[in-house]
Amino acid sequence: MGRARIRLKDIADQTGFSTNTVSLALRESPRIPEETRQIIRSAAQTLNYLPNQIAKSLVSRETKTIGLVLTDILNPTMNQTAQALELELAERGYSTLFASSNDTLSHERDAVDVFRSRQVDGILIYPTTHREIEHIRVLRRAGYPTVMLVDNPDADVDAVSVDDRRGAWKATRHLLELGHRRIGFLDSAHALGNNEKREGFQMAISQSGVDYDPALVIDPTGHSATDGFKAAAILMGLRNPPTAIFTSNDSLALGVLRWCFRNGRAVPGDLSIVGFDNIEYAEFAAVPLTSVDYAAATLARMAVDRLMRLIEAGDTLPAPRVTLIDPDLVVRESTGPLRGA
């Protein structure tokens, strides 16, 4: 059996005050003299008293917890963002409950249901697919504070996200300005129905007047460096291979970089590489990677600010708002001018 929970009555017995006085003192009520409050706080600390959060939530209708749904717990960008969100929430007195959908829509729905059953005060969510979100719309229509961490302007749900279209456009434009015309794109998000980065890539290609070649665009089977390595082999095996490759995340880019080393291709001499997310490993790769920066700290602050606004609104939520963060392109040694240009 576990140890018995320390109750207010135990502190009352220890100090000689009534349970009502103890309760008021621990809530810092000005009705209780400071000297008495200090005696009671000291006794509570000695007895290792913890307040009953379930009982408090029944009174306040708040659990002071937020549910966070991730798509992939091994994704370094998700880890960085989750940490930033947890810190932001902790500063506001909230605890964070975590769940991962593992890029599976049914798991995502289950996670949302579990969080609702735990009566969390709000939900932050990376949807598996940015298009199949009816279960998230249901939360919004029910007045449940929810903020998506991806862009879908037609969702009718609050969202705070890095502007993936803009980031992909900047990455592709950078390569075009260096003289590259055959640019490969590894897009692991497209298979899940998340089209923002591909749209940004295609926009930059179209604006430059370069013909779009679908053979240069590959949907890897996953998001890992291994997937990037395999996809690079396909692209570089074409009769007319690309001179540059843009990838939808940095792990894929690291796989492309590894393929180049394994096959004697110089980076950026033979192939320029641009990633997305600017994870820590990007800067410390054998050839430091040019990458679109995923502003995790900024996103966390803005998303939590919006969620707090929804929680404070009570039963009448304000109109949904989508906020997009314009990402910076961090240029490093993995990109250079087209050879001979």
Side-chain angles (χ1 to χ4, degrees), residues 178-198:
L178 290 172
H180 297 280
R181 293 297 177 266
R182 290 197 52 81
I183 301 173
F185 180 35
L186 306 186
D187 185 10
S188 59
H190 185 257
L192 296 170
N194 305 333
N195 305 320
E196 293 83 6
K197 291 174 185 174
R198 184 166 298 195

Side-chain angles (χ1 to χ4, degrees), residues 41-110:
R41 283 196 298 263
S42 178
Q45 185 174 7
T46 300
L47 293 171
N48 198 24
Y49 169 77
L50 291 174
N52 188 331
Q53 293 296 339
I54 295 175
K56 289 178 65 177
S57 69
L58 291 174
V59 175
S60 66
R61 296 178 62 193
E62 290 185 338
T63 62
K64 287 296 181 179
T65 57
I66 300 297
L68 172 59
V69 184
L70 308 173
T71 56
D72 181 1
I73 202 168
L74 297 179
N75 183 313
T77 304
M78 292 275 173
N79 286 333
Q80 182 181 3
T81 308
Q83 181 186 47
L85 287 165
E86 184 179 26
L87 291 172
E88 285 287 340
L89 288 166
E91 287 186 2
R92 293 163 170 82
Y94 286 81
S95 298
T96 310
L97 301 181
F98 296 90
S100 174
S101 68
N102 296 307
D103 284 320
T104 304
L105 187 58
S106 61
H107 292 175
E108 178 183 304
R109 292 190 179 113
D110 290 343

